[in-house]
Amino acid sequence: MTAAEVNSSEAKISPPSRSTTGSANVTKRLQTELMTLMMSSTPGISAFPNDENLLQWTATIDGPDGTPYAGLSFKLSFEFPSTYPLTAPTVLFKTPIYHPNIDFSGRICLDILKDKWSAIYNVQSVLLSLQSLLGEPNNSSPLNGQAAELWDKDPVEYKRLVLARHREDEETGLGL
C-alpha cells in the first residue's frame, strides 16, 4: 500500500460521533451516581433508573422531621438530557404536594434546576436540596402563592392542606 492509499483509507475512517461519545459519557456518569447513591447512607432519599432506561429515574424523598412534611413520602421523576451533566435533569414531583415552590403539576422552582445548574451537582445533591426545600421554601419566588402566604401566616391551615393534598394521592392512587 502506498502512502497515498494509506492516507486515503485513513480519511474514510470517521471518529465516533459526538452523540455516541456524549451518550456514553452520560451513561458512565449516571452509573457512577447510582453507585454513589446505593453506597451512601443518606437517610430519606433514594433514586433508581426505570427499567432498562438509564435516562429516566424514579426517586423518593421522605419529608424532613420538624416540617409539615414529616412522616410523608414523595415520588419524583428525573429525566436526564443527552447533555447531562452540562444540562440539568427535568425533575417533577409525581406525588401531589402542597408547597410554595411546587405547582400542582409537580413542576419545581429551584434555582439549581434552572439558571444555577452546574455539572458539579448530581442526583444526590438535587434530592438533598429538594428535601431541604420542603422545610425551607423560597417564599419570595413562589409557584403557589396561596401556599407561600399560608406558610408564613397560618401554619395549622398549611399543614392541613399539605395532608389533604397528600391524602388525595392515596385515595385516588395517582402516585407511583
Side-chain angles (χ1 to χ4, degrees):
M1 204 179 247
T2 68
E5 290 172 326
V6 169
N7 287 341
S8 174
S9 67
E10 285 176 1
K12 293 176 185 171
I13 300 171
S14 59
S17 72
R18 177 171 252 162
S19 64
T20 304
T21 305
S23 65
N25 289 340
V26 172
T27 299
K28 184 176 180 182
R29 166 77 182 242
L30 289 172
Q31 287 171 334
T32 301
E33 290 191 33
L34 178 59
M35 288 304 296
T36 300
L37 269 169
M38 291 171 58
M39 301 303 284
S40 85
S41 59
T42 308
I45 64 167
S46 66
F48 296 97
N50 296 348
D51 300 321
E52 298 299 315
N53 188 348
L54 199 59
L55 297 179
Q56 295 180 347
W57 291 27
T58 297
T60 304
I61 295 177
D62 292 337
D65 291 339
T67 73
Y69 305 96
L72 303 177
S73 185
F74 300 92
K75 296 260 187 235
L76 299 93
S77 67
F78 276 68
E79 191 169 316
F80 298 94
S82 60
T83 53
Y84 181 79
L86 301 177
T87 307
T90 300
V91 183
L92 297 171
F93 271 82
K94 291 306 195 180
T95 304
I97 183 170
Y98 187 78
H99 188 277
N101 305 116
I102 304 161
D103 71 13
F104 285 108
S105 297
R107 292 181 297 243
I108 304 161
C109 181
L110 182 63
D111 60 355
I112 68 163
L113 292 176
K114 309 285 185 223
D115 59 322
K116 301 288 187 205
W117 175 258
S118 167
I120 62 167
Y121 295 123
N122 58 31
V123 174
Q124 185 173 20
S125 61
V126 168
L127 289 173
L128 289 171
S129 294
L130 290 170
Q131 193 177 45
S132 177
L133 185 69
L134 292 181
E136 300 173 20
N138 178 0
N139 285 339
S140 64
S141 179
L143 285 177
N144 180 338
Q146 178 197 33
E149 187 175 324
L150 285 175
W151 177 273
D152 291 328
K153 294 183 179 172
D154 192 346
V156 173
E157 178 63 5
Y158 185 90
K159 173 77 173 186
R160 186 188 73 75
L161 291 171
V162 165
L163 294 175
R165 182 91 172 119
H166 199 270
R167 196 172 305 116
E168 179 182 302
D169 171 55
E170 293 170 351
E171 290 171 358
T172 60
L174 292 176
L176 297 176

